[in-house]
Amino acid sequence: MSIKERLESDIRDAMRSRNQERLEALRFLKSQIQLTEKNQLKDLDEAGVVDVVAKEARNRRESIQMFQQGGRSDLVDKETAALAVMEEYLPAQLDADELARIVAAAIEEVGATSASDKGRVMGKVMPQVRGVADGGAVNALVTQMLEAASQ
């Protein structure tokens, strides 16, 4: 079952169970997928759908941080619930050890020796971990490993 088919099925289930919070998050996700398809003038494949879901999950994480800083716990709870729904549609995320192994291999392959090589390393790592690792976490890990390598 494709992600879009699963999304349709979950929308129907949420309507039947009258779970309004889940239904809103699912409908929003569906609308973002449809908007992206409309803008690109083509149906998205599974990788494209995962990219849209990952983007929306990242936006939710950023919103949660902003609402926490603003002291809006009601909105933090709402965004957290929506994020949990969206994460159901993302592939399993890499653990820290696996991510570190991929970054170390990329640093070695590129021959990076300092923080100035960060762009080349990120260019090598991101296609491998797209959808299965948060870009911010990858960025922080690459920076940390390059700083350790240059010392």
Side-chain angles (χ1 to χ4, degrees):
M1 179 183 287
S2 73
I3 294 175
K4 290 195 283 188
E5 291 168 345
R6 192 172 133 219
L7 185 61
E8 287 290 334
S9 173
D10 289 349
I11 287 172
R12 284 191 300 274
D13 292 343
M15 285 192 297
R16 286 184 189 120
S17 67
R18 301 190 191 286
N19 186 342
Q20 196 62 34
E21 210 169 65
R22 181 174 174 78
L23 181 60
E24 286 177 15
L26 292 171
R27 282 183 172 162
F28 177 78
L29 196 52
K30 180 182 175 186
S31 72
Q32 291 304 307
I33 291 168
Q34 289 174 334
L35 180 65
T36 303
E37 288 177 335
K38 183 179 176 187
N39 289 341
Q40 294 182 3
L41 301 174
K42 65 177 184 173
D43 284 346
L44 294 176
D45 58 355
E46 287 296 301
V49 173
V50 168
D51 286 344
V52 172
V53 174
K55 178 180 176 265
E56 294 306 322
R58 183 174 52 250
N59 289 345
R60 296 291 185 188
R61 286 186 197 99
E62 291 170 1
S63 296
I64 290 169
Q65 287 178 340
M66 294 297 188
F67 290 141
Q68 284 173 336
Q69 291 172 359
R72 296 292 309 265
S73 61
D74 57 328
L75 295 176
V76 169
D77 295 341
K78 182 178 179 182
E79 292 293 307
T80 302
L83 176 61
V85 170
M86 290 177 189
E87 286 178 340
E88 293 174 20
Y89 295 91
L90 290 174
Q93 300 293 294
L94 291 176
D95 64 352
D97 294 336
E98 181 69 14
L99 185 58
R101 188 188 61 74
I102 291 170
V103 170
I107 288 173
E108 186 176 319
E109 188 175 327
V110 171
T113 57
S114 67
S116 63
D117 299 321
K118 182 177 179 180
R120 292 187 4 227
V121 174
M122 289 294 290
K124 189 76 174 166
V125 171
M126 286 311 292
Q128 296 175 35
V129 300
R130 180 154 284 125
V132 294
D134 179 52
V138 173
N139 189 359
L141 184 60
V142 167
T143 302
Q144 176 187 358
M145 291 179 83
L146 285 175
E147 286 176 358
S150 65
Q151 292 178 354

